[in-house]
Structures are given as structure tokens and as C-alpha cells.
Amino acid sequence: MGHTHHAAHTSEVQPRNPAKVKHLLTVTLYLAVLTGVEFVLAFTMPRGHLLTLLFVLLTFVKTFYIVGEFMHLNYEVRMLKLAIIVLPIILISWLVLALLMEGHFVREAIVFIFGK
Amino acid sequence: MATAAIIDENENKALWGGDAEPMKASYGKLMMWFFLLSDALTFTGLLSTYGFARFSHDAYTGALASFKTSVAYWPIPEKIFTHIPFFHIDAPLVFVGLMTFILILSSVTMVLAVEAGHRNDKNDVQKWMLWTILGGMAFLGCQAWEWTIFITGTPEGLIVNDPDGTVRHIFGANLIQNEYGPRLFADLFFFITGFHGTHVLSGVVINIIVFYNVAFGTYQRLGSYEMIEKVGLYWHFIDLVWVFVFTFFYLV
């Protein structure tokens, strides 16, 4: 039971794996480029729903790379992926949606009661 | 009838002894994942509170170029975070971009340390852990500077006319007054970046402890560098949270 994966029992040093390191550096490059794109968009596009949507999308792409590659979740068992990704996404997206809508209503209520 | 007899006695013992690996992840890694899940919900709470506060305040509607801070509407972050060290120029969000970049780089050195751990390469693990610690410290230094600027404020300050007729001239921000906009903006700045900074600080401390263990050969003796993977998960999570803070606090 257990401890059967990995060759962790042999404590001898294994040689570096250039392909693996290259893969990690490629992911880094993606993250850096995506951050750069976000940065450029912030100053070239007019503020509005489209820009916010783009920011959200780019952020989720970055999340995919960080959690999937750096945190190695892409290579874990399907059940673990579901537990870590799906459940919080359902909870978090509802919480965010609810609070943003509630914020709108609170502002309307403030304007209604106290005036502009 | 006697179904219990089918269960292998030895296997059962191993399961109860903590050798079971549900979802093929070791106990430590699984618990780290579940901790990160709960931590993610905490940060969600903070960031969605920011969204709530932002939507319950008036937005700035004028031209971007003529933006001036006021307590009447929510500020535009790129007009607030415009300072960089040593140069007195208008550099919107450049410093935050640099901080993001530092954290991404330290995430990479951490993943390289994990990779070296898989190969039982003590020297490489040591080297990459050290770079990760340095990256974390650099980030904390940047944040300290950012906070100092935010708390000190601009030389001009902001003149606030209170409803009761008093006029106040305020400089910088704290939990009570805020030169840059509504009071909640400063409060949430301190809470969100502060809570994240606390995570980075504890991450650096944990990384230092693990670095010492690597250097003294503790994991060599244990025959496994899995601890690097566990602290790695935590460190990448901190990087991930900053990605969200960067987007939803500074960019949007």
C-alpha cells in the first residue's frame, strides 16, 4: 500500500531533465506574456464591460496554468481535480454574483433614501 | 453472512495506520490542497467584498485625463498607484507589474526546486529554494514601499467638506481617513494586500525552515523531498492569489 509511486526509495541523484525544465519555462513565458497583455489592455482600451470581461478571461487562463502546471493538478486523479476546481467554482461564482448584485441594490437604496 | 472476513487483515491495518492514499495523493499533499481550498474561500470573501463596496459607491464618470480624487466616488486604481522608487515620474501600475513579475519568477524557482526534489538533487533543491526565498523577500520589500507611499500620501492632499460643515485637509490613507477616495477603498487596500502579504511572510518563513532542513540533509535521510512539494503548493497559491489581486484590485 502507498509509497509505490515515484522512485523515491532510491536516494541517488538523478540527472537533470532539460525537456521538463523547458516545459516549465514555457509556462512561465505564457504567464509573463499574459500579464503583459493585461497591462497593455489597461491603458489602450476604454474602461467598460468588454475590458472587464477580457481581464477576467485572461486571469482564468493564468489560473489554469498556475494550478494545472505549477501546482501539478493537471496530472492528478480526476476526482481530486473535480474536488479542487468544480466545487469552489460553483460556490465562488455564486458568492461573487450575489455580492455584486447586492452592491448595486445597496447603492440604489442609498440614492433613494438620501438623494444624490 | 460473515462479510468482514473477506477484508484482508494486513491491508485493513495499513489503511487505518495512515498508509491509504485516497485520490492517489499523500496525506500531507491532500491536506495542503484542502487548506488551500479554505484559504481560497477566505480570499474570495475579501475580494468579493471589494466588488460589493465598489458597486455600492458611485463610479467616476468624467474623462480619465481629468481624474481627481474625491470621497464622492470610487477611485480609478491606475490614477492612484503611479509611483515607482527613485524616479519622480508618472508611471501608472508599473511598480505593481514589477511585483507581479517578481512573484511569478519566485513561483518558477519554486517549481524548479520541486523538480530537483524529484531527482533527489540536494544541491539543486537548495539553490532553487534560496532563490524562492529571495523572491519572496523582494516582494515583501516592494509591498512595504507601496504601503509607505499609500500611507504618506501626496503633497497636495485632499480637501474634504464634511456634511456638518467642517473642512478637513487630509494626507494619505489609514483605516479612518483616505485621501484617494471613499474610506472603504483604503480599508480594503490594507486588508486585501495586507492579508496577502501576511501569507507571503509566512510562506517565506516556512521556506526558510524547509531550506534549513534541505541544507542539513533531513529530507535526504527521509528518502523523500515531498515537503518541497507541499510548501510549493502553498507558494504557488500565494502567486495565484496575487494574480487575482492584481486583476481585480489594480486593473479593473
Side-chain angles (χ1 to χ4, degrees):
Chain A
M1 292 256 72
H3 303 308
T4 41
H5 60 292
H6 279 315
H9 284 304
T10 59
S11 51
E12 53 196 80
V13 179
Q14 278 140 39
R16 290 194 178 96
N17 184 351
K20 214 171 167 186
V21 173
K22 201 182 161 199
H23 173 70
L24 293 175
L25 292 181
T26 316
V27 173
T28 315
L29 190 68
Y30 290 156
L31 289 174
V33 168
L34 286 171
T35 308
V37 169
E38 280 185 327
F39 197 77
V40 170
L41 285 180
F43 295 106
T44 49
M45 274 182 67
R47 297 190 157 261
H49 290 306
L50 180 65
L51 183 65
T52 309
L53 187 70
L54 277 174
F55 281 149
V56 172
L57 283 178
L58 286 169
T59 304
F60 273 98
V61 175
K62 280 159 78 177
T63 305
F64 173 78
Y65 279 116
I66 291 175
V67 178
E69 297 295 328
F70 284 179
M71 296 170 91
H72 219 256
L73 194 64
N74 280 353
Y75 310 98
E76 301 287 357
V77 180
R78 192 179 132 85
M79 202 56 206
L80 184 57
K81 281 192 232 177
L82 292 178
I84 301 297
I85 298 293
V86 177
L87 199 69
I89 280 190
I90 295 169
L91 288 171
I92 289 172
S93 43
W94 167 240
L95 179 64
V96 170
L97 197 68
L99 279 179
L100 292 187
M101 293 193 314
E102 196 65 20
H104 256 306
F105 293 141
V106 165
R107 181 161 156 259
E108 276 173 24
I110 290 172
V111 172
F112 179 73
I113 295 168
F114 298 105
K116 259 284 171 192
Chain B
M1 248 174 66
T3 42
I6 298 170
I7 296 170
D8 185 332
E9 193 77 6
N10 287 328
E11 188 176 315
N12 211 14
K13 215 174 222 169
L15 286 174
W16 282 98
D19 270 355
E21 293 194 345
M23 304 195 265
K24 287 206 174 61
S26 71
Y27 176 80
K29 269 208 277 189
L30 209 54
M31 290 304 122
M32 182 52 92
W33 271 114
F34 289 151
F35 164 69
L36 295 182
L37 209 57
S38 69
D39 221 16
L41 291 173
T42 312
F43 276 107
T44 307
L46 284 170
L47 277 173
S48 51
T49 304
Y50 178 84
F52 173 86
R54 189 172 186 161
F55 275 89
S56 57
H57 282 80
D58 281 322
Y60 176 71
T61 46
L64 204 57
S66 55
F67 176 81
K68 281 204 166 49
T69 60
S70 158
V71 290
Y73 45 76
W74 204 257
I76 294 171
E78 67 176 66
K79 292 287 174 188
I80 308 291
F81 303 100
T82 58
H83 307 278
I84 51 170
F86 308 119
F87 299 96
H88 291 280
I89 52 168
D90 188 49
L93 300 182
V94 168
F95 193 64
V96 195
L98 177 74
M99 285 164 76
T100 309
F101 201 63
I102 289 173
L103 215 53
I104 287 178
L105 281 185
S106 85
S107 224
V108 176
T109 55
M110 177 52 100
V111 87
L112 289 171
V114 172
E115 195 268 335
H118 284 189
R119 296 187 287 103
N120 292 309
D121 192 334
K122 183 181 155 186
N123 290 338
D124 271 16
V125 176
Q126 225 170 321
K127 176 178 76 179
W128 292 122
M129 282 307 289
L130 201 57
W131 279 113
T132 309
I133 293 166
L134 283 177
M137 285 177 169
F139 182 86
L140 284 174
C142 290
Q143 204 164 42
W145 188 85
E146 175 103 337
W147 273 47
T148 310
I149 293 291
F150 194 78
I151 293 168
T152 316
T154 57
E156 301 83 38
L158 178 73
I159 293 162
V160 183
N161 300 300
D162 283 334
D164 62 359
T166 50
V167 179
R168 289 178 297 140
H169 196 179
I170 54 177
F171 299 92
N174 49 45
L175 291 178
I176 296 158
Q177 60 173 38
N178 177 14
E179 181 199 320
Y180 310 101
R183 184 167 139 180
L184 261 182
F185 176 74
D187 292 353
L188 285 163
F189 172 82
F190 290 124
F191 269 95
I192 293 174
T193 65
F195 199 57
H196 176 266
T198 312
H199 275 73
V200 179
L201 179 65
S202 53
V204 168
V205 171
I206 293 166
N207 281 350
I208 289 172
I209 294 169
V210 168
F211 172 77
Y212 268 97
N213 277 330
V214 173
F216 288 127
T218 308
Y219 306 127
Q220 194 101 47
R221 281 195 295 279
L222 284 171
S224 162
Y225 280 88
E226 203 198 53
M227 187 56 81
I228 312 291
E229 286 182 56
K230 284 182 262 183
V231 296
L233 282 178
Y234 182 62
W235 193 254
H236 297 313
F237 176 74
I238 293 172
D239 181 31
L240 180 67
V241 169
W242 184 255
V243 163
F244 276 83
V245 173
F246 178 65
T247 305
F248 296 115
F249 196 94
Y250 289 99
L251 286 180
V252 172

